[in-house]
Amino acid sequence: MKTILLPTDFSKNSINAINYAIKLCEHISCDFYILNVIKVSSFISDDMMTVTSSSTIYNTLIDAAKKSIDNIISQIEKQFKNKNHNFHAVVDYDNFIDSINQTCENHKVDLIIMGTKGATGLEKVIFGSNTVRVMQRCKVPTLAIPDGCKFESIENIAFATTNSKYFKVEELNVLSKILALYEASLQIIHLADQNHLVYDAHDNVDFFNTNFISAKHEFIDAPSNDMFNVVHNHIEKNKINMLAIMNKKHSFLERLFKTHNVERFAFKIDIPLLVMQTSARIS
């Protein structure tokens, strides 16, 4: 986790995610890239009226966003005074996901950390549309920070899986690093629906016993429409500080977004959600 991307729309939620990231990585050397993506649709007539004849709308918006990021960096450096952290401002004029992927590739980003809701933040919106698209379409692992979630020392991490496919070590690299950084415990929640279509967990248990020797396993049968309540109850009962899942076919993440509207659903989560990608997406 040496290079971390922090997308921001300058909302309170995105600033909270930036603060969480800084505290999460307090004891390691990191380069943070704070990214704001400007869309053409953000233009309004009033903006055009205030632009002088010697400048362009493009340059005006880019300069304004750059100044806003510089202000964030200045406040961070003043507040945290961490010499191990370096901050870089990035402003892009592009499609949001294309910009995220391009920035990750250009700077060899290890992890994306972002808030779960945007500036509008309706009460029932758990994941904003940008966060959902990053989870589904970006190649880099994403850590989504819920609105108002403050950093606490990571002691217990849960990994929820339907065991739809076998895992590989490189797919769980970020999870391994967070576990090692905080000497945290790992609990594997093996989920099966009523049809037991993806419940052959034996090879994955062997994988975890080899690569995460201290991990604890729990096997749960749950109807597809109740899996999310099962996971939530496990989080509450076991004082879980972070939930990790994999983005792959038939995964817990896919079921989450297929069962519910991507922005409004009953799955309540108030801890960070780590979404990791398959090797096919990593390569």
Side-chain angles (χ1 to χ4, degrees):
M1 300 193 302
K2 294 182 179 180
T3 306
I4 294 177
L5 178 62
L6 304 171
T8 182
D9 57 2
F10 307 118
S11 65
K12 181 179 178 181
N13 183 241
S14 70
I15 300 301
N16 179 67
I18 291 173
N19 290 331
Y20 186 100
I22 292 166
K23 292 182 180 180
L24 175 70
C25 302
E26 180 180 5
H27 302 296
I28 58 177
S29 297
C30 282
D31 278 292
F32 294 97
Y33 288 85
I34 303 180
L35 169 69
N36 176 250
V37 182
I38 298 173
K39 298 186 298 182
V40 177
S41 60
S42 65
F43 293 152
I44 58 175
S45 59
D46 289 343
D47 292 327
M48 296 180 183
M49 294 294 291
T50 59
V51 177
T52 65
S53 58
S54 60
S55 63
T56 66
I57 298 175
Y58 171 84
N59 287 333
T60 299
L61 290 177
I62 292 291
D63 289 345
K66 179 68 162 54
K67 288 179 181 178
S68 295
I69 296 177
D70 287 341
N71 286 337
I72 292 174
I73 292 174
S74 177
Q75 293 173 13
I76 289 171
E77 291 177 337
K78 183 178 180 180
Q79 179 180 355
F80 294 100
K81 298 181 176 68
N82 193 327
K83 296 181 178 179
N84 292 322
H85 291 173
N86 298 307
F87 297 91
H88 312 272
V90 182
V91 180
D92 199 6
Y93 182 80
D94 200 351
N95 170 274
F96 185 75
I97 295 300
D98 290 344
S99 179
I100 294 281
N101 281 328
Q102 185 177 41
T103 304
C104 288
E105 184 176 352
N106 290 344
H107 301 289
K108 298 183 179 1
V109 169
D110 300 306
L111 177 66
I112 302 167
I113 300 180
M114 63 188 299
T116 55
K117 293 195 294 187
T120 55
L122 299 175
E123 184 178 351
K124 292 184 179 179
V125 176
I126 307 302
F127 295 144
S129 58
N130 280 341
T131 309
V132 170
R133 286 186 290 155
V134 169
M135 290 175 179
Q136 293 178 315
R137 296 169 55 189
C138 290
K139 300 177 181 179
V140 174
T142 301
L143 182 62
I145 310 301
D147 189 17
C149 178
K150 305 301 180 183
F151 177 79
E152 297 178 358
S153 182
I154 308 297
E155 297 180 359
N156 300 299
I157 300 178
F159 180 71
T161 176
T162 55
N163 292 301
S164 57
K165 292 184 179 180
Y166 303 138
F167 297 115
K168 298 178 181 179
V169 174
E170 62 268 24
E171 295 175 341
L172 305 179
N173 186 41
V174 168
L175 175 61
S176 299
K177 289 182 177 179
I178 296 175
L179 286 167
L181 181 61
Y182 286 94
E183 298 181 347
S185 68
L186 178 63
Q187 300 178 28
I188 317 296
I189 310 172
H190 300 274
L191 298 164
D193 62 18
Q194 62 272 29
N195 297 315
H196 296 268
L197 296 178
V198 289
Y199 197 45
D200 186 8
H202 299 294
D203 288 335
N204 279 337
V205 170
D206 290 341
F207 167 85
F208 280 109
N209 286 339
T210 300
N211 296 283
F212 300 86
I213 58 175
S214 298
K216 298 179 180 179
H217 299 267
E218 183 168 348
F219 299 86
I220 302 175
D221 288 333
S224 295
N225 60 359
D226 197 43
M227 279 188 179
F228 315 109
N229 291 328
V230 167
V231 172
H232 179 264
N233 290 338
H234 185 92
I235 289 171
E236 292 291 320
K237 291 179 181 179
N238 294 275
K239 297 180 179 179
I240 300 298
N241 306 113
M242 182 180 294
L243 175 64
I245 57 180
M246 183 68 69
N247 179 19
K248 60 172 63 179
K249 191 174 182 180
H250 303 306
S251 67
F252 182 78
L253 180 72
E254 186 182 74
R255 287 169 184 243
L256 189 64
F257 292 149
K258 281 188 174 181
T259 304
H260 305 276
N261 182 293
V262 293
E263 293 185 33
R264 297 170 182 266
F265 49 81
F267 181 53
K268 308 299 184 190
I269 180 170
D270 56 6
I271 60 173
L273 174 67
L274 176 63
V275 178
M276 296 167 289
Q277 306 296 341
T278 63
S279 297
R281 297 182 64 80
I282 293 172
S283 59

